[in-house]
Each structure stands twice: as structure tokens, then as C-alpha cells.
Amino acid sequence: NLIVERPNEGEVLNTETLDVKGKTDPDAVVEINKKRIALNDKGEFMSTFSLQPGINTVIIESISKHGKKKTITRTVSVETN
């Protein structure tokens, strides 16, 4: 089970930092863009990432203790004027 609360698909940001927030099973492993993220005891996670101006792809992956993988991809845009 993997839920991504932030960011929303297609979100347009005016800053080059992004908070990725969500929830999965407490005993799962979560990676965001291949970086392992710590979970709290409820399976919640949050991490801040630096983005580039333009289109950015964020790949959130949860791997259960049984090896089952769930992936959610979000595409966000950074518009800095």
C-alpha cells in the first residue's frame, strides 16, 4: 500500500524545493528518486528535494517486507520568474 499526499500530479511550483509526503506500510522500504527515506512507526514519510526549473519527475517506490513493489510517479513543474 502506498499513498502520496504531496505532490499532486501536474503541480506547478514557484520554488525549487519540494516536500514529498505520504504513507505506506510501517515495515516497508520507501525510496524517492532512488534515495531511501525513513518512515515513522505509522509508515508515514516526508522528505524535501531540490528541483530544477522546468519539468521534474518524482518516483516514489515502496517495497514491502515480502518484496512486493508499488510505484507512484508524479510530474511537477517549477516556474521561477
Side-chain angles (χ1 to χ4, degrees), residues 60-71:
I60 304 102
E61 196 168 69
S62 174
I63 303 156
S64 76
K65 66 178 180 182
H66 305 295
K68 190 174 176 189
K69 196 184 277 190
K70 172 99 170 134
T71 304

Side-chain angles (χ1 to χ4, degrees), residues 1-6 19-25 29-32 37-40 42-47 49 60-62 72:
N1 194 16
L2 176 61
I3 297 164
V4 177
E5 296 168 20
R6 288 190 66 205
D19 290 332
V20 178
K21 186 177 178 193
K23 186 172 183 171
T24 189
D25 301 319
V29 172
V30 169
E31 290 184 353
I32 302 175
I37 304 300
L39 303 175
N40 69 15
K42 297 178 188 151
E44 298 165 335
F45 59 88
M46 191 183 126
S47 189
F49 285 83
I60 304 102
E61 196 168 69
S62 174
I72 295 177

Side-chain angles (χ1 to χ4, degrees), residues 1 9-10 13 17-18 22 34 36 39 41 43 46 52-53 55-56 61 63 65-66 69 75:
N1 194 16
E9 175 61 27
L13 308 164
T17 58
L18 172 69
K34 303 290 181 193
R36 191 175 215 164
L39 303 175
D41 57 1
M46 191 183 126
Q52 301 297 316
I55 304 290
N56 293 264
E61 196 168 69
I63 303 156
K65 66 178 180 182
H66 305 295
K69 196 184 277 190
T75 304

Side-chain angles (χ1 to χ4, degrees), residues 11-18 50-56 76-81:
E11 195 167 330
V12 178
L13 308 164
N14 58 7
T15 176
E16 293 182 16
T17 58
L18 172 69
S50 295
L51 302 177
Q52 301 297 316
I55 304 290
N56 293 264
V76 297
S77 304
V78 176
E79 293 180 3
T80 53
N81 295 356

